[in-house]
């Protein structure tokens, strides 16, 4: 442990010496010879791999926000330049590309990732180099605990899992089984928080089974869960497996409602599930074409015009993270990462399309969640839960 710490400190010291004051992004001079000609911002996400729709949507939303900000004159008379990296849905690659963004592209902030496991991999690097990192979508509580340079603009799983526990209780489910992805920090976190909250509300957890990302045969675990006779099954996983799990559950005669969280949000979910998720529910960020908010509707139209298809919640979260960053860059005393960090930390009532964002003392946001219901092969807005309702 001590050795690792010393090694990390050594690397930091060497990189500071190498970078020194000559490091382009760490100077505050704007324009002119040797000054900043653009504001370099890093963007890392899963553009390919298991959860490619997560990264693609987020990147598109972020790029749209930056494009609109640049069209409106940029920040401090400079355009923002996005440096985009694909982490292929892998935590190790996330580490590598974030190091590259910081040490080679000299970005002054990093936006990413979606998946908590990959944000947890990258956050210590941003913290070590003192470059602010903003995750638009990672909900695991531990992400922002990595240090004072790590921010999130979405709600946490303390809230999301509590919402699902309240929802299950409100639906009248008394006995709920849990099927989680054992290699996914997000999945493990939600299972734990849900189980505690649902039990507190008087419910019973009938049992837990596990799978791993990439598995294709879930029938043994599903049979065990079926034997416990639950009223519903919580599957806090990603769309990449949930569609197949749902089909196999129906094949073995496990016909109760399946419950999920934001990881179900992908156009690919229903493609894989077909009709197997009819009558199921999942929690998601506050974003739906059924919400008649003018800013949200404008985003739907702008996104569709640019990319040719309808955005999902990830796209909206990427857009909000981008706009919140632009706001902080404008308010920052200078373009040093540390002044930017301070500006981010004092964000108050920022009008995101997925809700008003105030960054709290733990660098998290508190926002409403929605419950989506799957009806046939369509997703419809079913219910909204505000933080105030869940606190009571
Ligand atoms: N909240 C998920 C995580 O932390 C990521 C996610 C966000 C997935 C929004 C889909 C929609 O891993």
């Amino acid at each position: 442990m001590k050795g690792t710490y010393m090694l990390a400190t050594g690397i930091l010291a060497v990189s500071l010496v190498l970078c020194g004051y000559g490091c382009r992004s760490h100077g505050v001079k704007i324009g002119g010879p040797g000054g900043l000609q653009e504001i370099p911002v890093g963007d890392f996400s899963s553009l390919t791999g298991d959860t490619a729709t997560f990264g693609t949507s987020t990147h598109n939303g972020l790029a749209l926000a930056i494009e609109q900000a640049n069209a409106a004159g940029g920040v401090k008379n400079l355009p923002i330049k996005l440096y985009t990296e694909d982490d292929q849905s892998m935590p190790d690659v996330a580490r590598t590309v974030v190091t590259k963004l910081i040490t080679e592209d000299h970005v002054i902030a990093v936006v990413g990732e979606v998946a908590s496991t990959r944000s947890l991999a990258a956050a210590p690097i941003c913290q070590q180099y003192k470059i602010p990192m903003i995750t638009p979508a990672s909900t695991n509580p531990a992400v922002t605990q990595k240090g004072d340079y790590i921010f999130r603009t979405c709600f946490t799983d303390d809230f999301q899992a509590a919402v699902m526990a309240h929802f299950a209780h409100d639906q009248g489910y008394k006995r709920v089984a849990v099927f989680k992805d054992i290699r996914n920090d997000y999945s493990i976190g939600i299972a734990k928080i849900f189980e505690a909250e649902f039990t507190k509300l008087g419910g019973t957890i009938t049992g837990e089974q596990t799978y791993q990302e990439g598995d294709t045969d879930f029938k043994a675990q599903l049979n065990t869960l079926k034997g416990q006779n639950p009223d519903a099954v919580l599957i806090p996983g990603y769309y990449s497996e949930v569609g197949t799990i749902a089909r196999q559950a129906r094949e073995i005669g496990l016909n109760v409602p399946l419950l999920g969280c934001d990881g179900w949000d992908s156009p690919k979910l229903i493609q894989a599930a077909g009709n197997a998720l009819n009558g199921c529910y999942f929690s998601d960020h506050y974003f739906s074409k059924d919400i008649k908010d003018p800013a949200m509707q404008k985003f739907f139209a702008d996104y569709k015009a640019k990319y040719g298809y309808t955005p999902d919640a990830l796209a909206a979260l990427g857009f909000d993270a981008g706009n919140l960053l632009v706001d902080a860059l404008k308010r920052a005393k200078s373009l040093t990462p540390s002044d930017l960090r301070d500006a981010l930390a004092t964000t108050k009532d920022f009008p995101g399309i997925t809700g008003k964002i105030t960054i709290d003392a733990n660098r998290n946001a508190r926002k409403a969640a929605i419950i989506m219901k799957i009806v046939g092969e369509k997703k419809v807005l079913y219910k909204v839960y505000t933080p105030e309702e869940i606190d009571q």
Side-chain angles (χ1 to χ4, degrees):
M1 189 66 195
K2 197 164 174 216
T4 315
Y5 173 75
M6 284 172 63
L7 180 66
T9 313
I11 292 170
L12 181 61
V14 170
S15 57
L16 283 177
V17 169
L18 288 179
C19 199
Y21 291 111
C23 192
R24 184 164 56 104
S25 64
H26 293 190
V28 286
K29 189 167 181 282
I30 295 177
L36 277 183
Q37 305 295 332
E38 64 189 20
I39 302 175
V41 169
D43 155 32
F44 75 110
S45 59
S46 51
L47 297 175
T48 59
D50 280 343
T51 51
T53 74
F54 286 172
T56 306
S57 294
T58 310
H59 163 74
N60 286 348
L62 172 63
L64 179 62
I66 301 303
E67 181 183 292
Q68 291 180 352
N70 285 340
V75 173
K76 304 194 193 320
N77 289 320
L78 291 176
I80 298 165
K81 167 139 191 224
L82 267 192
Y83 288 81
T84 301
E85 292 288 342
D86 175 15
D87 63 29
Q88 302 161 29
S89 304
M90 295 195 275
D92 283 350
V93 183
R95 268 187 216 105
T96 308
V97 297
V98 163
T99 306
K100 183 214 166 237
L101 286 168
I102 296 172
T103 60
E104 290 179 31
D105 300 322
H106 306 294
V107 299
I108 63 164
V110 166
V111 180
E113 229 266 10
V114 171
S116 290
T117 302
R118 297 191 289 268
S119 286
L120 285 166
I125 297 167
C126 295
Q127 182 64 33
Q128 176 198 332
Y129 284 100
K130 295 198 181 311
I131 295 296
M133 170 177 141
I134 306 167
T135 172
S138 286
T139 45
N140 185 279
V143 173
T144 43
Q145 291 163 9
K146 292 288 172 195
D148 61 347
Y149 275 71
I150 316 300
F151 296 85
R152 102 175 83 220
T153 50
C154 56
F155 53 61
T156 67
D157 289 332
D158 290 332
F159 174 65
Q160 174 166 232
V163 163
M164 280 319 282
H166 278 258
F167 174 70
H169 180 257
D170 293 349
Q171 289 286 105
Y173 307 144
K174 304 255 179 305
R175 298 163 51 77
V176 175
V178 176
F179 193 25
K180 68 181 179 189
D181 179 346
I182 195 72
R183 285 186 55 204
N184 180 326
D185 294 303
Y186 154 83
S187 197
I188 296 166
I190 291 194
K192 189 168 161 224
I193 302 159
F194 176 89
E195 287 165 13
E197 288 293 322
F198 190 61
T199 309
K200 227 193 273 169
L201 292 167
T204 302
I205 302 297
T206 60
E208 236 196 16
Q209 288 288 304
T210 63
Y211 66 93
Q212 288 191 16
E213 186 178 84
D215 285 355
T216 52
D217 184 353
F218 305 94
K219 288 192 178 157
Q221 300 99 305
L222 290 168
N223 265 311
T224 305
L225 294 174
K226 185 183 162 198
Q228 296 163 354
N229 200 19
D231 299 328
V233 181
L234 176 77
I235 312 173
Y238 290 159
Y239 72 89
S240 36
E241 282 80 27
V242 169
T244 311
I245 293 174
R247 267 195 294 105
Q248 293 182 5
R250 300 330 182 197
E251 274 165 38
I252 63 139
L254 176 59
N255 289 321
V256 296
L258 306 178
L259 309 176
C261 295
D262 57 354
W264 285 27
D265 189 325
S266 168
K268 294 239 165 107
L269 177 75
I270 304 287
Q271 271 176 35
N275 205 42
L277 286 171
N278 180 36
C280 296
Y281 303 90
F282 65 99
S283 55
D284 207 348
H285 303 269
Y286 186 79
F287 182 72
S288 158
K289 60 181 176 340
D290 301 334
I291 299 171
K292 299 292 169 228
D293 169 72
M296 207 182 284
Q297 295 297 326
K298 179 177 185 309
F299 173 72
F300 267 99
D302 290 351
Y303 188 98
K304 200 149 186 220
K306 185 168 161 69
Y307 300 109
Y309 67 97
T310 304
D312 54 20
L314 269 318
L317 293 172
F319 183 72
D320 276 352
N323 282 323
L324 185 141
L325 171 63
V326 169
D327 172 72
L329 284 165
K330 286 182 180 159
R331 287 187 291 105
K333 275 192 284 164
S334 80
L335 291 175
T336 60
S338 84
D339 280 343
L340 176 58
R341 193 223 79 89
D342 293 348
L344 285 166
T346 50
T347 301
K348 200 167 176 286
D349 291 336
F350 177 79
I353 55 170
T354 60
K356 228 184 235 172
I357 303 169
T358 294
I359 299 295
D360 68 18
N362 300 314
R363 298 166 304 285
N364 294 321
R366 265 163 66 87
K367 292 153 83 181
I370 55 176
I371 302 289
M372 298 295 285
K373 179 173 187 180
I374 301 170
V375 181
E377 299 192 3
K378 286 215 151 22
K379 294 178 262 187
V380 295
L381 175 63
Y382 187 69
K383 208 166 175 175
V384 180
Y385 283 95
T386 63
E388 293 72 29
E389 280 169 274
I390 296 299
D391 282 352
Q392 284 167 5

